[in-house]
Amino acid sequence: MLQKPRGTRDFLPDEMEARRTIEWRMREVARLWGYREVCTPEFEDLELFTMRSGEGIVEEMYVFLDKGGRNLALRPEITASVIRMYINEAKVAPKPLRWCYFADCFRYERPQKGRYRQFWQFGVELIGADTALADAEVIMLAADMLNATGVTYDLKVGHLSFMKNLLKDLEPPAQRRVMAHLDKKDYDGLKATLDAMDKPELAHSLTTLLECRTLKEAFEIAGNIPGKERIEQTISLLDASGMKYSLNFGIARGLDYYTGTVFEGFAQNLGAENQILGGGTYRLAHLFGGDDVASCGFAIGFDRVMVSLGETQHKKDTVVAIVCTHEGRDHALEVARIFREAGIRSEMDLMERGLGAQLAHASKTADFAIVIGQREAESKNVTLRNLQTGEQKTLDPKSAIAEVASHGACR
Ligand code: HAM
């Protein structure tokens, strides 16, 4: 028997309904903040991702040659594609642009719970606003979106300048190596790398920086860093908003394009793969042939949010089985139509079963049966049976709809 590729998943209808419910909650929050949805191709020129996304992600990519000999990659993330699209399609649009997306990404990683080779991100990119309020807006939106899903999480906000100031004497490749250790929270590796570079004192400053929980402490360790005022403004806006977050100056982010503010969200009930959100301010547009526009964004790891929520979130549809005899068929079609127009999921028998077999099937698949025989067809009424209680009454179709709807509402 053929199986799905490693690191991918199939989703049955119950799971898809739960996923769509949560996806739409996120989309609704994005809409309220003015972020409009965009869509980019699943594969791009490989170069788009090798230019700035960092070595880690390049190693993890699905890369292939197409029949025309082009070097392509399945997208490992969507930020680079969105910025490419901005340059191709919307460079002259009034700024800032508020965009969001919900799409799948592909990374050739070792699969485990919460880590897949195909996974979905809900992300936003705010393009062309270079202010403290812009950075704060994106972080507040991230919190609003996670709140809407019902997940319990910790949001940590930091800034790369603190770390970069401590590492400023290292060459860029060495800086990247150190930041990769920090990103993976690999503190033994960090110490070994800095010892090998003959910079053991840096390990001490960096670990002290990681423990700072206020801006004041972090400034004391990292010195007077560039953009100090902007950082203070962003943090005071977050405080004014009343949102819940904590400062963390150890956030390094795995992707290379970040420039300043960075933030990550962690689900409280997940194990190793508990990072459910990552983002920050970045500059990519100039690399792809555009102006040097400032951007800020994040992506939520949708699958990890679903793992964190577990089975609890899903409110199922009320299901009505339209059960009819041959004589009742035409009236049943009419009744099914008006039930669906009223927003009620209604299913007719397609197997030419007898009334008893239809009811037996309905008891396994539906909450209510609408029974339509010759009597109902003549009177234009329906018999409504509650399949949980066995209670049954004959009603006109509108009253039956009201009865079914009230059941859904009080669940
Ligand atoms: P990222 O941190 O690489 O950032 O990914 C964002 C989120 O995607 C992670 O926090 C995690 O929840 C989820 N994720 C990553 N890899 C996997 C995987 N293999 N399986 C399941 N979930 C995964 C970005 O991708 C940036 N583009 C975010 C961004 C947008 N920055 C600015 N704008």
Side-chain angles (χ1 to χ4, degrees):
M1 195 173 35
L2 276 179
Q3 297 292 343
K4 59 192 178 299
R6 201 165 129 76
T8 65
R9 287 150 301 150
D10 295 317
F11 301 106
L12 287 163
D14 278 351
E15 210 169 343
M16 275 317 292
E17 281 170 15
R19 288 172 70 88
R20 290 288 185 233
T21 304
I22 302 301
E23 174 194 331
W24 272 98
R25 285 190 202 161
M26 294 185 181
R27 193 171 275 127
E28 177 58 12
V29 175
R31 187 186 72 78
L32 290 172
W33 284 77
Y35 286 71
R36 300 177 65 211
E37 192 160 352
V38 293
C39 179
T40 62
E42 296 219 345
F43 54 87
E44 297 268 5
D45 280 338
L46 172 63
E47 214 190 340
L48 183 76
F49 304 111
T50 52
M51 282 176 100
R52 201 56 210 237
S53 293
E55 278 163 34
I57 217 154
V58 173
E59 278 166 23
E60 288 166 2
M61 273 196 297
Y62 279 88
V63 176
F64 60 99
L65 272 185
D66 77 358
K67 289 180 183 165
R70 299 172 195 87
N71 240 326
L72 300 174
L74 295 182
R75 59 185 174 202
E77 58 115 25
I78 302 170
T79 306
S81 300
V82 168
I83 297 301
R84 178 202 49 69
M85 178 168 81
Y86 154 71
I87 293 160
N88 295 160
E89 312 287 344
K91 219 167 32 182
V92 295
K95 307 282 182 313
L97 286 171
R98 290 184 169 98
W99 282 352
C100 69
Y101 47 83
F102 176 71
D104 53 351
C105 304
F106 304 85
R107 295 187 191 174
Y108 195 80
E109 298 196 88
R110 202 157 40 81
Q112 63 182 72
K113 190 169 182 178
R115 197 204 289 153
Y116 310 103
R117 291 185 173 173
Q118 182 197 22
F119 62 96
W120 275 257
Q121 288 188 342
F122 201 113
V124 315
E125 311 296 346
L126 171 63
I127 303 168
D130 194 4
T131 62
L133 186 55
D135 301 353
E137 167 165 310
V138 173
I139 300 171
M140 292 188 277
L141 171 56
D144 258 16
M145 237 183 230
L146 288 179
N147 292 341
T149 68
V151 77
T152 43
Y153 65 94
D154 297 314
L155 189 64
K156 301 186 177 172
V157 179
H159 199 284
L160 292 177
S161 291
F162 294 92
M163 218 176 255
K164 284 192 169 158
N165 211 36
L166 291 178
L167 302 177
K168 63 177 183 296
D169 295 334
L170 301 184
E171 294 295 320
Q175 276 190 17
R176 274 204 289 277
R177 232 175 313 143
V178 171
M179 304 228 343
H181 285 303
L182 288 166
D183 184 45
K184 295 198 176 80
K185 301 185 177 52
D186 168 20
Y187 304 123
D188 292 339
L190 172 74
K191 193 170 172 310
T193 298
L194 287 169
D195 283 348
M197 290 174 186
D198 206 17
K199 300 267 182 203
E201 71 289 351
L202 266 184
H204 178 256
S205 323
L206 283 169
T207 38
T208 320
L209 180 67
L210 299 192
E211 280 153 22
C212 293
R213 290 294 169 264
T214 64
L215 274 183
K216 190 165 167 280
E217 288 168 357
F219 283 128
E220 271 163 24
I221 288 164
N224 252 349
I225 59 171
K228 183 171 182 224
E229 216 170 285
R230 165 87 169 259
I231 299 171
E232 286 169 341
Q233 276 174 13
T234 307
I235 298 306
S236 86
L237 287 164
L238 294 184
D239 290 340
S241 79
M243 64 168 279
K244 269 174 58 186
Y245 74 97
S246 59
L247 287 171
N248 187 308
F249 302 96
I251 301 174
R253 305 289 301 130
L255 300 160
D256 276 356
Y257 47 62
Y258 294 102
T259 49
T261 301
V262 282
F263 51 98
E264 292 180 341
F266 299 88
Q268 285 168 0
N269 64 348
L270 295 183
E273 300 302 325
N274 64 344
Q275 195 187 306
I276 53 169
L277 174 144
T281 55
Y282 64 92
R283 282 176 191 266
L284 269 177
H286 61 293
L287 291 176
F288 307 154
D291 44 347
D292 184 19
V293 66
S295 314
C296 186
F298 65 82
I300 291 175
F302 182 76
D303 307 86
R304 291 186 187 171
V305 169
M306 294 310 295
V307 175
S308 172
L309 290 173
E311 303 294 312
T312 54
Q313 283 299 305
H314 183 40
K315 202 170 117 249
K316 284 195 174 151
D317 269 350
T318 301
V319 182
V320 169
I322 310 281
V323 170
C324 65
T325 60
H326 187 69
E327 303 75 49
R329 171 92 53 86
D330 289 355
H331 181 43
L333 280 169
E334 169 75 5
V335 170
R337 184 178 60 75
I338 61 169
F339 265 67
R340 291 182 193 124
E341 277 171 5
I344 295 168
R345 181 173 145 191
S346 310
E347 299 170 8
M348 279 184 76
D349 173 61
L350 304 176
M351 313 293 275
E352 301 188 347
R353 292 176 174 121
L355 214 55
Q358 287 184 52
L359 278 167
H361 179 71
S363 68
K364 291 182 217 142
T365 58
D367 303 291
F368 290 94
I370 291 284
V371 187
I372 301 175
Q374 193 169 5
R375 197 161 45 91
E376 287 85 359
E378 281 165 12
S379 65
K380 298 291 175 212
N381 283 331
V382 299
T383 296
L384 174 70
R385 182 186 294 189
N386 182 324
L387 293 166
Q388 258 114 57
T389 62
E391 193 191 339
Q392 182 164 307
K393 40 188 152 177
T394 301
L395 299 164
D396 65 275
K398 276 211 176 108
S399 309
I401 285 172
E403 181 98 13
V404 171
S406 72
H407 167 86
C410 62
R411 268 220 255 183

